[in-house]
Amino acid sequence: EHPRPWRVKDRATLIGDAAGYVTKCSGEGIYFAAKSGRMCAESIVTRTEMGTRMVDDRDLFDYINKFDAQYGPTYIVLDLLQKLFYTSDAARESFVDLCEERYVQEVTFDSYLYKTVQGNNPIGDIALLGKTLSSLVKNNTSKPAPMRELV
Protein backbone atom coordinates (compact mmCIF):
# COMPACT_ATOMS: atom_id res chain seq x y z
CA GLU A 1 0.00 0.00 0.00
CA HIS A 2 0.98 3.58 0.50
CA PRO A 3 0.17 6.21 3.10
CA ARG A 4 -3.51 7.02 3.29
CA PRO A 5 -4.62 10.39 1.86
CA TRP A 6 -5.58 11.50 5.36
CA ARG A 7 -4.04 10.19 8.53
CA VAL A 8 -5.09 12.85 11.04
CA LYS A 9 -8.65 13.75 12.08
CA ASP A 10 -9.16 16.12 14.98
CA ARG A 11 -7.07 14.66 17.83
CA ALA A 12 -6.69 11.17 16.38
CA THR A 13 -4.07 9.84 14.00
CA LEU A 14 -3.37 6.61 12.19
CA ILE A 15 -0.12 4.70 12.57
CA GLY A 16 1.28 1.46 11.14
CA ASP A 17 -0.91 -0.64 8.87
CA ALA A 18 -3.93 1.59 9.53
CA ALA A 19 -1.98 4.52 8.06
CA GLY A 20 -1.05 2.43 5.03
CA TYR A 21 2.60 1.98 6.03
CA VAL A 22 3.03 -1.36 4.29
CA THR A 23 5.50 -1.76 1.43
CA LYS A 24 3.82 -2.92 -1.77
CA CYS A 25 6.60 -5.10 -3.11
CA SER A 26 7.36 -7.08 0.03
CA GLY A 27 4.28 -6.64 2.20
CA GLU A 28 6.63 -5.71 5.04
CA GLY A 29 5.15 -3.37 7.57
CA ILE A 30 6.13 -4.24 11.14
CA TYR A 31 9.14 -1.93 11.08
CA PHE A 32 7.06 0.97 9.76
CA ALA A 33 4.30 0.24 12.28
CA ALA A 34 6.73 0.38 15.19
CA LYS A 35 8.63 3.36 13.78
CA SER A 36 5.47 5.37 13.12
CA GLY A 37 4.16 4.62 16.62
CA ARG A 38 7.40 5.79 18.18
CA MET A 39 7.61 8.90 15.98
CA CYS A 40 4.00 9.77 16.83
CA ALA A 41 4.59 9.33 20.57
CA GLU A 42 7.77 11.42 20.46
CA SER A 43 5.97 14.20 18.58
CA ILE A 44 3.10 14.18 21.08
CA VAL A 45 5.46 14.41 24.06
CA THR A 46 7.44 17.23 22.47
CA ARG A 47 4.54 19.21 21.04
CA THR A 48 2.41 18.99 24.20
CA GLU A 49 5.34 20.20 26.28
CA MET A 50 5.71 16.90 28.12
CA GLY A 51 1.95 16.48 28.45
CA THR A 52 1.21 19.84 30.03
CA ARG A 53 -1.22 20.85 27.28
CA MET A 54 -3.77 19.01 25.19
CA VAL A 55 -2.74 17.59 21.82
CA ASP A 56 -4.38 18.98 18.69
CA ASP A 57 -4.28 18.06 15.02
CA ARG A 58 -1.35 20.41 14.31
CA ASP A 59 0.70 18.44 16.83
CA LEU A 60 -0.15 15.19 15.09
CA PHE A 61 0.76 16.60 11.68
CA ASP A 62 4.25 17.10 13.11
CA TYR A 63 4.64 13.30 13.23
CA ILE A 64 3.10 12.88 9.77
CA ASN A 65 5.48 15.43 8.26
CA LYS A 66 8.52 13.81 9.86
CA PHE A 67 7.47 10.32 8.76
CA ASP A 68 6.78 11.48 5.21
CA ALA A 69 10.12 13.30 5.01
CA GLN A 70 12.02 10.22 6.14
CA TYR A 71 10.11 7.44 4.38
CA GLY A 72 8.03 9.13 1.67
CA PRO A 73 10.66 8.61 -1.05
CA THR A 74 10.72 4.88 -0.26
CA TYR A 75 6.99 4.58 -0.87
CA ILE A 76 7.22 6.63 -4.07
CA VAL A 77 9.97 4.40 -5.49
CA LEU A 78 8.16 1.19 -4.52
CA ASP A 79 4.94 2.51 -6.07
CA LEU A 80 6.77 3.34 -9.30
CA LEU A 81 8.42 -0.10 -9.37
CA GLN A 82 5.08 -1.79 -8.93
CA LYS A 83 3.46 0.28 -11.67
CA LEU A 84 6.35 -0.44 -14.01
CA PHE A 85 7.05 -4.13 -13.39
CA TYR A 86 3.79 -5.64 -12.11
CA THR A 87 1.55 -4.71 -15.02
CA SER A 88 2.17 -7.48 -17.55
CA ASP A 89 4.01 -10.75 -18.05
CA ALA A 90 6.61 -9.00 -20.22
CA ALA A 91 7.24 -6.42 -17.49
CA ARG A 92 7.56 -9.15 -14.85
CA GLU A 93 10.08 -10.95 -17.08
CA SER A 94 12.06 -7.72 -17.27
CA PHE A 95 12.02 -7.52 -13.49
CA VAL A 96 13.38 -11.06 -13.28
CA ASP A 97 16.12 -10.11 -15.76
CA LEU A 98 17.12 -7.16 -13.60
CA CYS A 99 17.21 -9.24 -10.42
CA GLU A 100 20.17 -11.13 -11.86
CA GLU A 101 22.26 -7.95 -11.69
CA ARG A 102 24.60 -7.73 -8.68
CA TYR A 103 23.96 -3.98 -8.36
CA VAL A 104 20.19 -4.58 -8.14
CA GLN A 105 20.75 -7.21 -5.47
CA GLU A 106 22.98 -4.88 -3.44
CA VAL A 107 20.60 -1.92 -3.70
CA THR A 108 17.60 -4.12 -2.84
CA PHE A 109 19.33 -5.64 0.19
CA ASP A 110 20.56 -2.27 1.46
CA SER A 111 17.18 -0.62 0.90
CA TYR A 112 15.41 -3.41 2.77
CA LEU A 113 17.98 -3.37 5.56
CA TYR A 114 18.01 0.40 6.07
CA LYS A 115 14.32 0.98 5.18
CA THR A 116 15.15 3.83 2.83
CA VAL A 117 15.92 3.90 -0.87
CA GLN A 118 19.59 3.18 -1.44
CA GLY A 119 21.66 3.39 -4.58
CA ASN A 120 24.07 6.27 -4.39
CA ASN A 121 26.15 5.16 -7.35
CA PRO A 122 25.19 7.36 -10.32
CA ILE A 123 27.10 5.17 -12.80
CA GLY A 124 25.38 2.06 -11.46
CA ASP A 125 22.00 3.84 -11.58
CA ILE A 126 22.53 4.91 -15.20
CA ALA A 127 23.63 1.39 -16.16
CA LEU A 128 20.55 0.01 -14.42
CA LEU A 129 18.31 2.44 -16.31
CA GLY A 130 19.81 1.28 -19.60
CA LYS A 131 19.41 -2.38 -18.66
CA THR A 132 15.81 -1.71 -17.56
CA LEU A 133 14.86 0.01 -20.80
CA SER A 134 16.52 -2.62 -23.00
CA SER A 135 14.93 -5.45 -21.03
CA LEU A 136 11.47 -3.85 -21.26
CA VAL A 137 11.86 -3.35 -25.01
CA LYS A 138 13.12 -6.91 -25.50
CA ASN A 139 10.38 -8.53 -23.43
CA ASN A 140 7.60 -6.39 -24.91
CA THR A 141 8.60 -6.97 -28.53
CA SER A 142 9.62 -10.62 -28.53
CA LYS A 143 7.43 -13.69 -28.43
CA PRO A 144 7.35 -15.27 -24.98
CA ALA A 145 9.29 -18.48 -24.53
CA PRO A 146 7.12 -21.59 -24.54
CA MET A 147 6.04 -23.04 -21.22
CA ARG A 148 8.34 -25.74 -19.91
CA GLU A 149 6.88 -29.08 -18.97
CA LEU A 150 7.42 -30.34 -15.48
CA VAL A 151 8.84 -33.82 -15.28
Side-chain angles (χ1 to χ4, degrees):
E1 296 202 25
H2 48 80
R4 303 276 185 247
W6 64 267
R7 292 165 278 166
V8 173
K9 178 81 171 156
D10 299 324
R11 295 182 332 163
T13 188
L14 301 175
I15 61 171
D17 291 0
Y21 300 151
V22 177
T23 59
K24 285 183 173 188
C25 295
S26 68
E28 201 265 322
I30 192 69
Y31 172 84
F32 297 108
K35 188 67 174 180
S36 65
R38 182 178 184 114
M39 289 174 84
C40 182
E42 289 170 348
S43 286
I44 289 171
V45 168
T46 300
R47 300 281 302 211
T48 62
E49 300 161 13
M50 303 294 284
T52 60
R53 66 171 193 77
M54 186 59 71
V55 67
D56 64 28
D57 61 345
R58 290 181 312 253
D59 299 322
L60 299 174
F61 276 111
D62 181 56
Y63 132 71
I64 297 291
N65 293 334
K66 287 177 182 175
F67 189 92
D68 288 350
Q70 188 167 357
Y71 299 107
T74 300
Y75 286 95
I76 290 169
V77 168
L78 292 175
D79 191 46
L80 290 171
L81 288 174
Q82 182 151 356
K83 287 177 179 171
L84 180 64
F85 292 115
Y86 289 52
T87 56
S88 68
D89 288 340
R92 283 186 283 277
E93 287 298 323
S94 295
F95 184 70
V96 170
D97 289 347
L98 295 175
C99 288
E100 295 174 354
E101 297 291 317
R102 180 172 177 81
Y103 182 66
V104 170
Q105 294 170 14
E106 289 172 356
V107 168
T108 301
F109 179 80
D110 288 347
S111 297
Y112 189 77
L113 180 65
Y114 299 113
K115 306 301 184 209
T116 57
V117 178
Q118 301 295 307
N120 299 317
N121 176 351
I123 305 241
D125 292 340
I126 290 169
L128 179 58
L129 175 62
K131 171 86 175 173
T132 301
L133 294 174
S134 67
S135 182
L136 286 168
V137 168
K138 177 188 84 167
N139 287 314
N140 278 294
T141 58
S142 63
K143 184 178 175 186
M147 294 290 287
R148 293 178 286 167
E149 288 188 34
L150 296 176
V151 282

PDB file of all heavy atoms in Angstrom, residues 10-32:
ATOM      1  N   ASP A  10      -9.012  15.510  13.661  1.00  0.00           N
ATOM      2  CA  ASP A  10      -9.165  16.120  14.976  1.00  0.00           C
ATOM      3  C   ASP A  10      -7.954  15.765  15.850  1.00  0.00           C
ATOM      4  O   ASP A  10      -6.846  16.108  15.515  1.00  0.00           O
ATOM      5  CB  ASP A  10     -10.495  15.711  15.616  1.00  0.00           C
ATOM      6  CG  ASP A  10     -11.691  16.172  14.786  1.00  0.00           C
ATOM      7  OD1 ASP A  10     -11.616  17.263  14.193  1.00  0.00           O
ATOM      8  OD2 ASP A  10     -12.687  15.424  14.712  1.00  0.00           O
ATOM      9  N   ARG A  11      -8.184  15.023  16.936  1.00  0.00           N
ATOM     10  CA  ARG A  11      -7.072  14.662  17.825  1.00  0.00           C
ATOM     11  C   ARG A  11      -6.725  13.180  17.734  1.00  0.00           C
ATOM     12  O   ARG A  11      -6.183  12.602  18.660  1.00  0.00           O
ATOM     13  CB  ARG A  11      -7.425  15.018  19.267  1.00  0.00           C
ATOM     14  CG  ARG A  11      -7.580  16.516  19.477  1.00  0.00           C
ATOM     15  CD  ARG A  11      -7.884  16.875  20.894  1.00  0.00           C
ATOM     16  NE  ARG A  11      -8.581  15.796  21.581  1.00  0.00           N
ATOM     17  CZ  ARG A  11      -8.691  15.694  22.893  1.00  0.00           C
ATOM     18  NH1 ARG A  11      -8.168  16.581  23.658  1.00  0.00           N
ATOM     19  NH2 ARG A  11      -9.349  14.691  23.433  1.00  0.00           N
ATOM     20  N   ALA A  12      -7.017  12.584  16.594  1.00  0.00           N
ATOM     21  CA  ALA A  12      -6.689  11.168  16.376  1.00  0.00           C
ATOM     22  C   ALA A  12      -5.806  11.048  15.138  1.00  0.00           C
ATOM     23  O   ALA A  12      -5.915  11.839  14.200  1.00  0.00           O
ATOM     24  CB  ALA A  12      -7.970  10.356  16.178  1.00  0.00           C
ATOM     25  N   THR A  13      -4.933  10.066  15.153  1.00  0.00           N
ATOM     26  CA  THR A  13      -4.071   9.841  14.000  1.00  0.00           C
ATOM     27  C   THR A  13      -3.913   8.347  13.759  1.00  0.00           C
ATOM     28  O   THR A  13      -4.095   7.536  14.672  1.00  0.00           O
ATOM     29  CB  THR A  13      -2.690  10.508  14.183  1.00  0.00           C
ATOM     30  OG1 THR A  13      -1.964  10.415  12.958  1.00  0.00           O
ATOM     31  CG2 THR A  13      -1.877   9.841  15.277  1.00  0.00           C
ATOM     32  N   LEU A  14      -3.617   8.001  12.548  1.00  0.00           N
ATOM     33  CA  LEU A  14      -3.368   6.608  12.187  1.00  0.00           C
ATOM     34  C   LEU A  14      -1.873   6.348  12.209  1.00  0.00           C
ATOM     35  O   LEU A  14      -1.073   7.211  11.849  1.00  0.00           O
ATOM     36  CB  LEU A  14      -3.923   6.318  10.788  1.00  0.00           C
ATOM     37  CG  LEU A  14      -5.411   6.544  10.578  1.00  0.00           C
ATOM     38  CD1 LEU A  14      -5.770   6.331   9.106  1.00  0.00           C
ATOM     39  CD2 LEU A  14      -6.238   5.632  11.471  1.00  0.00           C
ATOM     40  N   ILE A  15      -1.511   5.135  12.613  1.00  0.00           N
ATOM     41  CA  ILE A  15      -0.117   4.697  12.570  1.00  0.00           C
ATOM     42  C   ILE A  15      -0.089   3.290  11.988  1.00  0.00           C
ATOM     43  O   ILE A  15      -1.114   2.629  11.861  1.00  0.00           O
ATOM     44  CB  ILE A  15       0.558   4.720  13.961  1.00  0.00           C
ATOM     45  CG1 ILE A  15      -0.148   3.782  14.932  1.00  0.00           C
ATOM     46  CG2 ILE A  15       0.617   6.125  14.529  1.00  0.00           C
ATOM     47  CD1 ILE A  15       0.564   3.581  16.245  1.00  0.00           C
ATOM     48  N   GLY A  16       1.094   2.838  11.604  1.00  0.00           N
ATOM     49  CA  GLY A  16       1.280   1.461  11.144  1.00  0.00           C
ATOM     50  C   GLY A  16       0.429   1.093   9.950  1.00  0.00           C
ATOM     51  O   GLY A  16       0.245   1.877   9.024  1.00  0.00           O
ATOM     52  N   ASP A  17      -0.096  -0.137   9.979  1.00  0.00           N
ATOM     53  CA  ASP A  17      -0.906  -0.639   8.869  1.00  0.00           C
ATOM     54  C   ASP A  17      -2.129   0.237   8.618  1.00  0.00           C
ATOM     55  O   ASP A  17      -2.530   0.436   7.473  1.00  0.00           O
ATOM     56  CB  ASP A  17      -1.380  -2.070   9.144  1.00  0.00           C
ATOM     57  CG  ASP A  17      -0.248  -3.085   9.114  1.00  0.00           C
ATOM     58  OD1 ASP A  17       0.910  -2.676   8.883  1.00  0.00           O
ATOM     59  OD2 ASP A  17      -0.519  -4.274   9.323  1.00  0.00           O
ATOM     60  N   ALA A  18      -2.736   0.752   9.685  1.00  0.00           N
ATOM     61  CA  ALA A  18      -3.929   1.589   9.529  1.00  0.00           C
ATOM     62  C   ALA A  18      -3.625   2.839   8.714  1.00  0.00           C
ATOM     63  O   ALA A  18      -4.475   3.327   7.975  1.00  0.00           O
ATOM     64  CB  ALA A  18      -4.478   1.976  10.900  1.00  0.00           C
ATOM     65  N   ALA A  19      -2.393   3.335   8.821  1.00  0.00           N
ATOM     66  CA  ALA A  19      -1.985   4.523   8.060  1.00  0.00           C
ATOM     67  C   ALA A  19      -1.532   4.163   6.654  1.00  0.00           C
ATOM     68  O   ALA A  19      -1.238   5.043   5.852  1.00  0.00           O
ATOM     69  CB  ALA A  19      -0.861   5.252   8.802  1.00  0.00           C
ATOM     70  N   GLY A  20      -1.475   2.865   6.357  1.00  0.00           N
ATOM     71  CA  GLY A  20      -1.046   2.425   5.030  1.00  0.00           C
ATOM     72  C   GLY A  20       0.453   2.248   4.915  1.00  0.00           C
ATOM     73  O   GLY A  20       0.996   2.232   3.816  1.00  0.00           O
ATOM     74  N   TYR A  21       1.140   2.106   6.043  1.00  0.00           N
ATOM     75  CA  TYR A  21       2.597   1.983   6.025  1.00  0.00           C
ATOM     76  C   TYR A  21       3.031   0.533   5.820  1.00  0.00           C
ATOM     77  O   TYR A  21       3.714  -0.074   6.638  1.00  0.00           O
ATOM     78  CB  TYR A  21       3.205   2.515   7.319  1.00  0.00           C
ATOM     79  CG  TYR A  21       2.922   3.966   7.598  1.00  0.00           C
ATOM     80  CD1 TYR A  21       2.851   4.443   8.889  1.00  0.00           C
ATOM     81  CD2 TYR A  21       2.722   4.880   6.567  1.00  0.00           C
ATOM     82  CE1 TYR A  21       2.604   5.781   9.157  1.00  0.00           C
ATOM     83  CE2 TYR A  21       2.467   6.213   6.822  1.00  0.00           C
ATOM     84  CZ  TYR A  21       2.413   6.655   8.130  1.00  0.00           C
ATOM     85  OH  TYR A  21       2.164   7.971   8.386  1.00  0.00           O
ATOM     86  N   VAL A  22       2.632  -0.019   4.697  1.00  0.00           N
ATOM     87  CA  VAL A  22       3.033  -1.359   4.285  1.00  0.00           C
ATOM     88  C   VAL A  22       3.693  -1.217   2.927  1.00  0.00           C
ATOM     89  O   VAL A  22       3.189  -0.505   2.068  1.00  0.00           O
ATOM     90  CB  VAL A  22       1.811  -2.306   4.194  1.00  0.00           C
ATOM     91  CG1 VAL A  22       2.214  -3.679   3.698  1.00  0.00           C
ATOM     92  CG2 VAL A  22       1.104  -2.394   5.531  1.00  0.00           C
ATOM     93  N   THR A  23       4.836  -1.877   2.730  1.00  0.00           N
ATOM     94  CA  THR A  23       5.499  -1.759   1.432  1.00  0.00           C
ATOM     95  C   THR A  23       4.835  -2.694   0.434  1.00  0.00           C
ATOM     96  O   THR A  23       4.576  -3.853   0.722  1.00  0.00           O
ATOM     97  CB  THR A  23       7.004  -2.072   1.534  1.00  0.00           C
ATOM     98  OG1 THR A  23       7.183  -3.379   2.032  1.00  0.00           O
ATOM     99  CG2 THR A  23       7.700  -1.085   2.447  1.00  0.00           C
ATOM    100  N   LYS A  24       4.556  -2.168  -0.745  1.00  0.00           N
ATOM    101  CA  LYS A  24       3.824  -2.920  -1.767  1.00  0.00           C
ATOM    102  C   LYS A  24       4.579  -4.156  -2.237  1.00  0.00           C
ATOM    103  O   LYS A  24       3.996  -5.218  -2.385  1.00  0.00           O
ATOM    104  CB  LYS A  24       3.563  -2.032  -2.977  1.00  0.00           C
ATOM    105  CG  LYS A  24       2.493  -1.023  -2.776  1.00  0.00           C
ATOM    106  CD  LYS A  24       2.260  -0.261  -4.053  1.00  0.00           C
ATOM    107  CE  LYS A  24       1.070   0.637  -3.924  1.00  0.00           C
ATOM    108  NZ  LYS A  24       0.710   1.250  -5.181  1.00  0.00           N
ATOM    109  N   CYS A  25       5.849  -3.995  -2.500  1.00  0.00           N
ATOM    110  CA  CYS A  25       6.598  -5.096  -3.114  1.00  0.00           C
ATOM    111  C   CYS A  25       6.808  -6.267  -2.178  1.00  0.00           C
ATOM    112  O   CYS A  25       6.771  -7.411  -2.596  1.00  0.00           O
ATOM    113  CB  CYS A  25       7.938  -4.599  -3.632  1.00  0.00           C
ATOM    114  SG  CYS A  25       7.755  -3.417  -4.984  1.00  0.00           S
ATOM    115  N   SER A  26       7.043  -5.995  -0.894  1.00  0.00           N
ATOM    116  CA  SER A  26       7.365  -7.083   0.027  1.00  0.00           C
ATOM    117  C   SER A  26       6.244  -7.375   1.018  1.00  0.00           C
ATOM    118  O   SER A  26       6.242  -8.438   1.643  1.00  0.00           O
ATOM    119  CB  SER A  26       8.639  -6.745   0.810  1.00  0.00           C
ATOM    120  OG  SER A  26       8.399  -5.659   1.692  1.00  0.00           O
ATOM    121  N   GLY A  27       5.328  -6.452   1.199  1.00  0.00           N
ATOM    122  CA  GLY A  27       4.283  -6.637   2.198  1.00  0.00           C
ATOM    123  C   GLY A  27       4.783  -6.384   3.610  1.00  0.00           C
ATOM    124  O   GLY A  27       4.069  -6.583   4.575  1.00  0.00           O
ATOM    125  N   GLU A  28       6.021  -5.937   3.735  1.00  0.00           N
ATOM    126  CA  GLU A  28       6.633  -5.706   5.036  1.00  0.00           C
ATOM    127  C   GLU A  28       6.031  -4.468   5.664  1.00  0.00           C
ATOM    128  O   GLU A  28       5.809  -3.474   4.992  1.00  0.00           O
ATOM    129  CB  GLU A  28       8.150  -5.528   4.855  1.00  0.00           C
ATOM    130  CG  GLU A  28       8.947  -5.785   6.102  1.00  0.00           C
ATOM    131  CD  GLU A  28       9.249  -4.524   6.882  1.00  0.00           C
ATOM    132  OE1 GLU A  28       9.511  -3.483   6.285  1.00  0.00           O
ATOM    133  OE2 GLU A  28       9.193  -4.595   8.111  1.00  0.00           O
ATOM    134  N   GLY A  29       5.743  -4.531   6.936  1.00  0.00           N
ATOM    135  CA  GLY A  29       5.147  -3.373   7.574  1.00  0.00           C
ATOM    136  C   GLY A  29       5.410  -3.251   9.050  1.00  0.00           C
ATOM    137  O   GLY A  29       5.142  -2.215   9.634  1.00  0.00           O
ATOM    138  N   ILE A  30       5.951  -4.288   9.684  1.00  0.00           N
ATOM    139  CA  ILE A  30       6.126  -4.240  11.137  1.00  0.00           C
ATOM    140  C   ILE A  30       7.112  -3.146  11.541  1.00  0.00           C
ATOM    141  O   ILE A  30       6.903  -2.446  12.525  1.00  0.00           O
ATOM    142  CB  ILE A  30       6.524  -5.624  11.719  1.00  0.00           C
ATOM    143  CG1 ILE A  30       6.414  -5.630  13.240  1.00  0.00           C
ATOM    144  CG2 ILE A  30       7.893  -6.038  11.270  1.00  0.00           C
ATOM    145  CD1 ILE A  30       5.007  -5.541  13.753  1.00  0.00           C
ATOM    146  N   TYR A  31       8.179  -2.989  10.767  1.00  0.00           N
ATOM    147  CA  TYR A  31       9.143  -1.934  11.084  1.00  0.00           C
ATOM    148  C   TYR A  31       8.461  -0.564  11.016  1.00  0.00           C
ATOM    149  O   TYR A  31       8.610   0.263  11.918  1.00  0.00           O
ATOM    150  CB  TYR A  31      10.336  -1.965  10.113  1.00  0.00           C
ATOM    151  CG  TYR A  31      11.249  -0.778  10.281  1.00  0.00           C
ATOM    152  CD1 TYR A  31      12.243  -0.785  11.249  1.00  0.00           C
ATOM    153  CD2 TYR A  31      11.090   0.365   9.511  1.00  0.00           C
ATOM    154  CE1 TYR A  31      13.070   0.311  11.442  1.00  0.00           C
ATOM    155  CE2 TYR A  31      11.909   1.468   9.687  1.00  0.00           C
ATOM    156  CZ  TYR A  31      12.900   1.442  10.654  1.00  0.00           C
ATOM    157  OH  TYR A  31      13.699   2.531  10.832  1.00  0.00           O
ATOM    158  N   PHE A  32       7.706  -0.333   9.942  1.00  0.00           N
ATOM    159  CA  PHE A  32       7.059   0.966   9.758  1.00  0.00           C
ATOM    160  C   PHE A  32       5.959   1.185  10.788  1.00  0.00           C
ATOM    161  O   PHE A  32       5.706   2.314  11.198  1.00  0.00           O
ATOM    162  CB  PHE A  32       6.524   1.103   8.339  1.00  0.00           C
ATOM    163  CG  PHE A  32       7.627   1.072   7.313  1.00  0.00           C
ATOM    164  CD1 PHE A  32       7.804  -0.026   6.503  1.00  0.00           C
ATOM    165  CD2 PHE A  32       8.498   2.136   7.187  1.00  0.00           C
ATOM    166  CE1 PHE A  32       8.829  -0.064   5.567  1.00  0.00           C
ATOM    167  CE2 PHE A  32       9.531   2.118   6.253  1.00  0.00           C
ATOM    168  CZ  PHE A  32       9.699   1.008   5.447  1.00  0.00           C
TER     169      PHE A  32
END
